[in-house]
Amino acid sequence: MRGKRTLAGVAAMALLTVTGCSTSEPAADGAGSPSDVTLTLYNAQHVDLAEAMVKDFTEQTGIKVQLRNGKDFELANQIVAEGQASPADVFITENSPAMSLVAAKSGFATVDPATQAQVPARFTPPDKSWVGFAARQTVFVHNPSLLPAAQLPKSLLDLAKPEWKGRFGIAAAGADFQAIVSAVLALNGPEQTSAWLTGLKTNAKIYTGNGAILKAVNAGEIPAGVIYHYYWYKDRAESGANSSKTELHLFDAKDPGAFLSVSGAGVLKSSKHPKEAQQLVAYLTGAKGQQILSDSTALEYSIASDVPPNAKLKPLSELSPPDVDLSALNGPEVIALMQKAGLL
């Protein structure tokens, strides 16, 4: 689980080196043999998932990968500040607005066409500066003893109405919720989004993260909350200690509350090892990388190379996300609107 995200500053980050050795299943370009190249991956994804994926990549290619872990916007801002001097070769995130921030500064090289072809077009921005490799579904978790199904909101936008005051939680400072706001902004424009956020400021209880919201709903502290799907599925798969008294409500009819957030991967234009960096992004979206994602306890959606998501999840084909131009998700404008509403 991830904690609070923030845009402020650039924090010192743990440095974890993942090494591997050659195997009997080499990839292209002489892979499988030891390589002198060590890629630097700026990683904003779950560390355990990233470690599992790059470990297998190293075993397949002989290319070592060094992780620098941080949060979406923390690392995106660092990449922008570092410019051409950035040591990063590849950047991966939990949500796409941080990818858009780097792309807006022309920080990414175009993803190789073969890699683009592994990813459905709806998970890739029009300029092909990065690609999606995982997805997470927005859900409304509720405690049926406090909020029965018949009383659930029909739209995420309903939460700004007076009748919802004090009845749900959000993690306003988190990149996850900010990505959801970015979808509302892309779909409804700044004026309606600003009014919605003002309503949330009045109505919502603020929590430090999605896990804290899930726990509060399960304990009956609040009737409901806005989170991503995998927090609930992971808790149910482990013990159910923080979810056994809750259920999920999925908004439909392409409501902003059905937003499917995309985790992105891109090669930095300043990479000193562009060929190997492209190999890593190809791996993340390829069959082997996607299978590791699907099999992992992260329970995020695999979205590329026709690898089906984990069977524990509701199939992607049964979701009804709104059509959102990923390149239109504007992180800085979201922050400004949330600050104006007093949520940050």
Side-chain angles (χ1 to χ4, degrees), residues 115-201:
T115 302
Q116 295 175 28
Q118 297 181 145
V119 184
R122 66 182 174 126
F123 299 127
T124 303
D127 68 359
K128 313 299 183 188
S129 59
W130 55 272
V131 290
F133 74 97
R136 39 189 59 198
Q137 174 74 13
T138 306
V139 296
F140 193 63
V141 61
H142 68 107
N143 186 322
S145 68
L146 301 175
L147 182 61
Q151 298 177 16
L152 289 167
K154 295 185 184 311
S155 169
L156 185 71
L157 302 181
D158 290 344
L159 299 180
K161 296 179 179 178
E163 58 264 36
W164 285 99
K165 185 173 183 179
R167 300 179 67 195
F168 67 95
I170 61 173
D176 291 348
F177 185 75
Q178 290 164 16
I180 296 169
V181 176
S182 73
V184 175
L185 176 62
L187 292 165
N188 297 82
E191 185 174 342
Q192 189 172 351
T193 302
S194 181
W196 177 67
L197 290 171
T198 299
L200 295 194
K201 171 61 178 176

Side-chain angles (χ1 to χ4, degrees), residues 73-88:
F73 283 112
E74 174 188 5
L75 294 178
N77 283 328
Q78 181 168 345
I79 289 170
V80 171
E82 291 171 339
Q84 291 299 308
S86 177

Side-chain angles (χ1 to χ4, degrees), residues 55-299:
K55 180 177 183 295
D56 190 62
F57 170 75
T58 298
E59 291 173 352
Q60 297 295 323
T61 65
I63 301 168
K64 296 179 284 295
V65 181
Q66 184 181 73
L67 296 188
R68 293 192 179 187
N69 302 311
K71 311 303 183 188
D72 279 3
F73 283 112
E74 174 188 5
L75 294 178
N77 283 328
Q78 181 168 345
I79 289 170
V80 171
E82 291 171 339
Q84 291 299 308
S86 177
D89 296 291
V90 174
F91 180 35
I92 64 174
T93 63
E94 291 192 324
N95 298 283
S96 63
M99 301 299 291
S100 297
L101 190 153
V102 176
K105 302 295 183 182
S106 301
F108 289 124
T110 301
V111 174
D112 281 349
T115 302
Q116 295 175 28
Q118 297 181 145
V119 184
R122 66 182 174 126
F123 299 127
T124 303
D127 68 359
K128 313 299 183 188
S129 59
W130 55 272
V131 290
F133 74 97
R136 39 189 59 198
Q137 174 74 13
T138 306
V139 296
F140 193 63
V141 61
H142 68 107
N143 186 322
S145 68
L146 301 175
L147 182 61
Q151 298 177 16
L152 289 167
K154 295 185 184 311
S155 169
L156 185 71
L157 302 181
D158 290 344
L159 299 180
K161 296 179 179 178
E163 58 264 36
W164 285 99
K165 185 173 183 179
R167 300 179 67 195
F168 67 95
I170 61 173
D176 291 348
F177 185 75
Q178 290 164 16
I180 296 169
V181 176
S182 73
V184 175
L185 176 62
L187 292 165
N188 297 82
E191 185 174 342
Q192 189 172 351
T193 302
S194 181
W196 177 67
L197 290 171
T198 299
L200 295 194
K201 171 61 178 176
T202 299
N203 292 347
K205 291 190 175 182
I206 306 301
Y207 287 84
T208 56
N210 289 344
I213 293 172
L214 177 61
K215 187 175 182 179
V217 175
N218 192 66
E221 182 178 315
I222 48 174
V226 180
I227 63 173
Y228 277 154
H229 76 278
Y230 63 86
Y231 288 87
W232 187 87
Y233 281 99
K234 286 185 68 170
D235 191 79
R236 281 292 176 96
E238 293 167 356
S239 67
N242 295 316
S243 64
S244 61
K245 298 177 182 177
T246 70
E247 296 295 339
L248 295 185
H249 171 57
L250 273 62
F251 296 103
D252 56 14
K254 299 192 180 299
D255 185 84
F259 173 59
L260 192 66
S261 185
V262 175
S263 303
V267 174
L268 275 297
K269 192 176 289 183
S270 57
S271 170
K272 308 302 185 294
H273 310 289
K275 185 176 82 172
E276 291 82 1
Q278 291 282 358
Q279 282 183 261
L280 176 55
V281 175
Y283 170 84
L284 295 173
T285 56
K288 289 182 179 296
Q290 289 290 293
Q291 193 61 57
I292 287 177
L293 169 62
S294 180
D295 293 342
S296 79
T297 58
L299 291 175

Side-chain angles (χ1 to χ4, degrees), residues 7 73 76-77 96-102 104 175 178-179 181-183 185-186 326-339 344:
L7 290 176
F73 283 112
N77 283 328
S96 63
M99 301 299 291
S100 297
L101 190 153
V102 176
Q178 290 164 16
V181 176
S182 73
L185 176 62
L326 295 178
S327 65
L329 300 183
N330 190 322
E333 188 174 2
V334 165
I335 298 304
L337 289 172
M338 293 184 71
Q339 289 173 333
L344 294 177

